[in-house]
């Protein structure tokens, strides 16, 4: 498999550019221009690649380094008069790390030159440009009636009635950190706590990020209500929140969910904030959690008023050290290596980071549109300006696919077959993403291709051939550990037990094909056994470990729809494994799966003692009753 480009990969590129070894490198800004500072044995370099630039500054010429006390990103390097070098004003969001490495490199050079130890000339103070922050100071001041607080590299506003209840933890090895504020005394006291979790890799999130944040907020709020033992509690509200104000100009992405639980005595609210694609690398995310506890029913039925408490906190939340750029080199290399998932592609595409093959991608989309237009597809246009009038038209889109598959970054004739297969799958995913939303043309999408493929009675044989071939290439369904074969149709693959037993595919495309009915049309051609075969396929999707929440929801929803028809209930009721899977979904904290599963079980238990008995033995009703999420779904 191709490895994800790492800082070490960039380090080797810088060393080749400088033709020397470097100890440490980091991206920073000089007068607003992004560049790398690279520490070598005898001096440090300021390096830029566009246009190419490398400037060497010897440690022996450094007179002093001043860390600005008002701007935690700024440090100034002064040089001795005799060397004639200009003072450097540098901004780094990792100033502490950069100065630490600067210290080590300077001392090593000093010992080499002097044969004795020396003190690194660094101190903290005001620099000549310390007034640069005055113009933005007013935007970071708290609003009337609120105070500004700082904790774990973040600042936020709270009403002045809140004061710190306990000191912050000083144990750096503790995985979770919490600070508590309190307002009032006795039974009427209100408490608000904040936890800041350590940053984690974006690649560890998985495909169910929003659902995971939502469930974390709901469970934390619901568990927080357990302090009132033997008291009735219910989830009063649960919804996403948007950051309306960005006081610091933070370029990271935010997603948040607020859950509100009410008991007879208390109001408990949990706001989970996920700050994603942390600059400058864009490879990590960080969670910040606020929990409020107040007197019960003090907000009556005003959910909006309750949300305002958290809205001010969310709007004012800002990192103490703001990095207003991404490392162009790392972001571009990662994008070009096609290692980003759809969410990351969406984010970095929006910031202008595209793979080097973007012209070929545009040519592919244009070629597909023209091919479909020739076959009479309604949405396809023959206007070249729909994509890019400067991109040449290639008659056969498969020629472009072949070229992209051959132009693999970092692979050659000696690379393993697995590496090449992985690259080809990444090409398919990139093209599918760009067709669906990456180019934002609105003229083509996976759903429109599925619609075109179903233009005739048969999606397997007589539909628009080009739409079917492209659509199935985007799905990229193949047996795990085996190569993908373009020449084998999806119709043939779904009838191959070996492939169906353990297959992988583009889950995003699969979800769209399920929703559009394309897959069900394929199974309908199997004859009298089509419904049974399709249900078995849907059941397989529910059991697969890699199935995304969207695909699982579509599968569960279609099972629920099929179970509503009396003619389907007999064979569905005989599928005990399916019924057990649906009951298992009732035990999961996945609301989108729980509702269709409950609907299907309700349909199947109707006038069927056998299924009713199985549901009772598995305590299915108990799981429905104990689901906090259903307490807000009385109408369902």
């Amino acid at each position: 498999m191709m490895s994800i480009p790492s800082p070490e990969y960039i380090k080797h590129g810088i060393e080749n550019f400088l033709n020397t070894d470097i100890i440490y490198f980091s991206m920073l800004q000089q007068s607003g221009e992004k560049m790398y500072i690279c520490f070598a044995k005898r001096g440090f370099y300021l390096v830029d690649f566009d246009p190419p630039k490398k400037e060497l500054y010897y440690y022996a010429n450094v007179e002093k380094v001043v860390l600005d006390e008002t701007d935690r990103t700024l440090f100034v390097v002064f040089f001795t008069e005799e060397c004639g070098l200009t003072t450097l004003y540098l901004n780094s969001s990792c100033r502490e790390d950069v100065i630490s490495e600067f210290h080590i490199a300077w001392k090593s050079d000093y010992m080499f030159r002097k044969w004795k130890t020396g003190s690194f000339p660094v101190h903290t103070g005001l620099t000549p440009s310390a007034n640069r922050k005055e113009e933005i100071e007013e935007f970071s001041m708290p609003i009337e009636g609120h105070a500004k607080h700082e904790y774990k590299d973040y600042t936020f506003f709270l009403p002045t009635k809140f004061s710190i209840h306990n000191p912050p933890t000083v144990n750096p090895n503790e995985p979770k950190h919490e600070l508590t504020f309190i307002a009032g005394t006795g039974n009427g006291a209100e408490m608000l706590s904040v936890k800041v979790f350590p940053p984690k890799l974006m690649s560890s999130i998985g495909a169910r990020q929003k659902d995971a944040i939502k469930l974390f907020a709901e469970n934390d709020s619901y568990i927080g209500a357990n302090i009132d033992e033997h008291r009735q509690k219910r989830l009063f509200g649960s919804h996403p929140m948007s950051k309306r104000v960005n006081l610091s100009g933070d370029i990271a992405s935010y997603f948040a969910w607020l859950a509100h639980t009410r008991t007879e005595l208390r109001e408990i609210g949990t706001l989970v904030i996920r700050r994603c694609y942390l600059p400058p690398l864009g490879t990590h995310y960080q969670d910040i959690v606020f929990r409020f506890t107040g007197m019960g029913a003090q907000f009556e039925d005003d959910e909006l008023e309750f949300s305002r408490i958290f809205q001010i906190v969310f709007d004012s939340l800002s990192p103490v050290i703001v990095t207003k750029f991404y490392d162009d080199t790392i972001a571009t290399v990662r994008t070009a290596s096609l290692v980003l998932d759809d969410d990351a592609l969406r984010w970095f595409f929006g910031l202008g980071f595209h793979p080097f093959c973007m012209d070929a991608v545009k040519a592919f989309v244009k070629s597909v549109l023209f091919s479909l237009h020739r076959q009479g597809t309604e949405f396809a246009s023959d206007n070249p300006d729909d994509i890019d009038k400067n991109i040449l038209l290639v008659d056969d889109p498969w020629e472009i696919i072949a070229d992209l598959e051959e132009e693999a970054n970092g692979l050659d004739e000696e690379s393993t077959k697995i590496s090449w297969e992985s690259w080809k799958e990444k090409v398919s995913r990139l093209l599918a993403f760009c067709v669906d939303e990456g180019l934002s043309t609105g003229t083509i999408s996976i759903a429109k291709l599925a619609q075109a493929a179903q233009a005739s009675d048969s999606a397997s044989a007589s539909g628009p051939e080009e739409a079917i071939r492209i659509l199935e290439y985007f799905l990229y369904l193949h047996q795990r550990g085996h190569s993908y074969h373009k020449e084998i149709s999806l119709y043939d693959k779904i009838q191959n037990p070996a492939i169906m037993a353990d297959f992988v595919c583009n889950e995003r495309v699969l979800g769209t094909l399920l929703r559009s009915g394309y897959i069900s049309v394929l199974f309908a051609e199997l004859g009298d056994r089509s419904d049974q075969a399709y249900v078995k396929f849907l059941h397989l999707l529910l059991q697969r470990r890699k199935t995304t929440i969207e695909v699982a929801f579509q599968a569960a929803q279609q099972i629920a729809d099929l179970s509503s028809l009396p003619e389907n209930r007999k064979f569905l009721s005989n599928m005990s494994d399916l019924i057990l899977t649906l009951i298992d979904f009732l035990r999961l904290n996945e609301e989108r799966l729980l509702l269709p599963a409950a609907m299907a079980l309700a349909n199947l238990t109707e006038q069927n003692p056998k299924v009713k008995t199985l549901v009772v033995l598995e305590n299915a009703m108990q799981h429905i009753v104990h689901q906090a999420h259903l307490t807000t779904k009385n109408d369902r």
Side-chain angles (χ1 to χ4, degrees):
M1 300 289 288
M2 292 185 63
S3 60
I4 296 177
S6 65
E8 194 67 25
Y9 177 91
I10 306 300
K11 178 174 178 284
H12 290 318
I14 294 175
E15 289 177 334
N16 291 335
F17 179 67
L18 297 176
N19 197 27
T20 188
D21 294 335
I22 60 174
I23 305 166
Y24 173 86
F25 77 98
S26 179
M27 179 165 276
L28 46 66
Q29 286 183 309
Q30 180 189 24
S31 302
E33 295 292 328
K34 292 181 287 186
M35 59 189 66
Y36 287 108
I37 185 170
C38 310
F39 296 108
K41 290 182 179 180
R42 299 291 171 259
F44 66 90
Y45 292 85
L46 292 181
V47 175
D48 195 1
F49 294 112
D50 187 20
K53 165 189 172 181
K54 53 182 177 181
E55 297 176 350
L56 174 62
Y57 301 87
Y58 290 102
Y59 300 126
N61 294 328
V62 175
E63 180 182 16
K64 62 180 179 179
V65 178
V66 178
L67 310 181
D68 191 271
E69 63 183 22
T70 62
D71 184 349
R72 302 188 196 188
T73 69
L74 176 65
F75 65 98
V76 184
V77 182
F78 294 88
F79 299 97
T80 57
E81 292 185 7
E82 52 269 24
C83 73
L85 294 173
T86 304
T87 301
L88 295 177
Y89 290 83
L90 306 172
N91 291 85
S92 172
S93 58
C94 307
R95 186 179 73 173
E96 183 177 341
D97 293 336
V98 170
I99 295 303
S100 176
E101 295 293 337
F102 198 168
H103 187 179
I104 295 171
W106 184 92
K107 290 191 70 172
S108 298
D109 176 72
Y110 188 90
M111 293 177 64
F112 179 80
R113 291 185 292 108
K114 305 285 188 177
W115 286 89
K116 62 179 181 179
T117 60
S119 298
F120 183 48
V122 60
H123 69 271
T124 301
L126 287 175
T127 64
S129 60
N131 61 349
R132 70 213 159 284
K133 290 187 66 178
E134 293 179 358
E135 60 186 32
I136 65 171
E137 190 67 29
E138 58 179 292
F139 296 107
S140 62
M141 297 297 292
I143 59 178
E144 184 178 356
H146 290 72
K148 184 177 182 179
H149 297 273
E150 179 180 329
Y151 182 63
K152 293 295 178 184
D153 298 326
Y154 287 93
T155 61
F156 51 90
F157 301 162
L158 289 180
T160 52
K161 64 180 180 180
F162 283 98
S163 59
I164 295 179
H165 181 59
N166 66 321
T169 179
V170 295
N171 181 5
N173 297 320
E174 189 175 353
K176 298 180 181 179
H177 311 281
E178 181 171 352
L179 179 64
T180 302
F181 299 85
I182 190 169
T185 58
N187 294 331
E190 298 177 348
M191 298 187 69
L192 191 145
S193 63
V194 54
K195 297 178 183 178
V196 178
F197 292 79
K200 295 182 179 180
L201 285 170
M202 289 294 302
S203 57
S204 66
I205 289 179
R208 303 183 178 183
Q209 174 182 198
K210 294 182 179 180
D211 296 276
I213 295 174
K214 169 181 176 292
L215 292 167
F216 182 91
E218 290 177 346
N219 288 336
D220 186 86
S221 173
Y222 204 69
I223 292 172
N226 287 339
I227 189 173
D228 295 333
E229 295 184 9
H230 311 299
R231 300 283 182 175
Q232 184 179 6
K233 55 187 176 182
R234 70 186 182 100
L235 189 66
F236 191 72
S238 181
H239 56 84
M241 295 192 71
S242 300
K243 190 173 177 64
R244 303 177 304 182
V245 181
N246 192 342
L247 297 178
S248 61
D250 183 22
I251 64 173
S253 170
Y254 285 86
F255 179 78
W257 198 279
L258 173 63
H260 177 194
T261 298
R262 172 173 290 177
T263 73
E264 298 176 28
L265 302 178
R266 288 177 176 80
E267 306 269 3
I268 300 97
T270 297
L271 174 65
V272 180
I273 302 171
R274 176 159 292 176
R275 183 169 172 252
C276 299
Y277 309 110
L278 305 183
L281 297 182
T283 56
H284 288 71
Y285 73 92
Q286 191 165 29
D287 289 339
I288 305 101
V289 179
F290 291 89
R291 181 201 281 177
F292 169 83
T293 304
M295 286 298 295
Q298 71 179 92
F299 298 97
E300 298 182 352
D301 292 330
D302 193 349
E303 179 66 19
L304 181 61
E305 181 63 28
F306 182 82
S307 299
R308 286 197 184 102
I309 300 173
F310 293 95
Q311 189 67 63
I312 294 176
V313 172
F314 189 19
D315 288 344
S316 62
L317 182 71
S318 301
V320 172
I321 299 177
V322 182
T323 304
K324 297 186 177 182
F325 62 86
Y326 283 105
D327 187 318
D328 291 6
T329 305
I330 291 180
T332 301
V333 169
R334 294 182 72 236
T335 306
S337 301
L338 309 187
V339 298
L340 304 178
D341 60 19
D342 286 353
D343 288 336
L345 278 175
R346 189 178 300 112
W347 179 252
F348 284 104
F349 266 47
L351 296 173
F353 294 104
H354 298 109
F356 301 126
C357 59
M358 205 59 199
D359 284 347
V361 173
K362 292 178 180 179
F364 169 80
V365 176
K366 176 179 285 191
S367 178
V368 170
L369 282 172
F370 273 71
S371 297
L372 295 176
H373 176 76
R374 287 195 296 267
Q375 295 187 4
T377 305
E378 292 183 1
F379 71 82
S381 169
D382 60 352
N383 182 3
D385 293 339
D386 283 346
I387 301 299
D388 190 332
K389 61 182 180 181
N390 296 318
I391 299 295
L392 294 176
L393 174 62
V394 179
D395 289 336
D396 186 1
W398 296 96
E399 292 182 7
I400 303 173
I401 292 176
D403 290 341
L404 288 172
E405 290 179 343
E406 292 177 1
E407 296 175 1
N409 296 316
L411 297 181
D412 52 32
E413 295 179 354
E414 297 182 356
S415 299
T416 65
K417 180 181 178 181
I418 294 178
S419 298
W420 277 105
E421 292 297 333
S422 175
W423 171 258
K424 292 177 181 179
E425 184 173 359
K426 290 184 176 73
V427 170
S428 170
R429 289 178 178 273
L430 173 67
L431 294 176
F433 171 81
C434 290
V435 162
D436 218 23
E437 62 177 287
L439 294 179
S440 300
T441 63
T443 58
I444 189 172
S445 66
I446 303 296
K448 286 183 177 181
L449 281 172
Q451 181 183 357
Q454 298 178 76
S456 68
D457 295 333
S458 171
S460 66
S462 58
E465 182 180 353
E466 197 63 32
I468 294 172
R469 291 181 65 206
I470 294 296
L471 198 60
E472 296 184 359
Y473 168 71
F474 287 162
L475 181 60
Y476 217 82
L477 188 145
H478 60 287
Q479 188 176 359
R480 187 186 305 275
H482 292 71
S483 301
Y484 171 78
H485 298 285
K486 300 184 183 74
E487 65 277 7
I488 303 178
S489 70
L490 182 59
Y491 180 78
D492 293 329
K493 290 178 181 178
I494 62 175
Q495 298 181 77
N496 187 323
I499 295 178
M500 289 293 97
D502 187 18
F503 69 88
V504 291
C505 67
N506 187 327
E507 299 287 324
R508 169 198 178 100
V509 177
L510 179 58
T512 302
L513 297 186
L514 285 170
R515 185 169 56 252
S516 68
Y518 181 88
I519 302 293
S520 63
V521 171
L522 285 179
F523 277 91
E525 298 179 20
L526 297 179
D528 295 336
R529 57 191 179 93
S530 60
D531 286 342
Q532 292 93 327
Y534 188 46
V535 170
K536 289 180 180 179
F537 173 73
L538 296 175
H539 185 204
L540 176 64
L541 294 180
L542 296 179
Q543 293 178 309
R544 284 176 70 240
R545 181 172 52 88
K546 285 207 165 190
T547 296
T548 62
I549 187 66
E550 175 61 26
V551 170
F553 168 74
Q554 292 297 333
Q557 186 63 54
Q558 293 192 30
I559 289 175
D561 293 341
L562 287 169
S563 67
S564 65
L565 302 176
E567 60 268 25
N568 293 330
R569 290 176 186 170
K570 182 177 181 180
F571 76 84
L572 285 172
S573 300
N574 291 329
M575 297 178 64
S576 56
D577 289 343
L578 172 62
I579 295 172
L580 290 174
T581 299
L582 294 173
I583 293 175
D584 285 340
F585 282 172
L586 302 182
R587 300 185 177 100
L588 300 177
N589 286 326
E590 296 285 3
E591 182 179 328
R592 295 187 68 192
L593 300 182
L594 185 142
L595 290 175
M599 291 167 60
L601 288 172
N603 290 332
L604 296 178
T605 54
E606 185 177 348
Q607 298 180 355
N608 193 316
K610 177 182 175 182
V611 178
K612 284 184 180 179
T613 301
L614 185 58
V615 169
V616 171
L617 291 175
E618 293 292 331
N619 292 324
M621 293 306 299
Q622 179 181 357
H623 291 297
I624 293 178
V625 171
H626 285 117
Q627 283 291 342
H629 322 302
L630 288 184
T631 59
T632 60
K633 302 287 189 302
N634 295 328
D635 58 322
R636 299 292 295 270

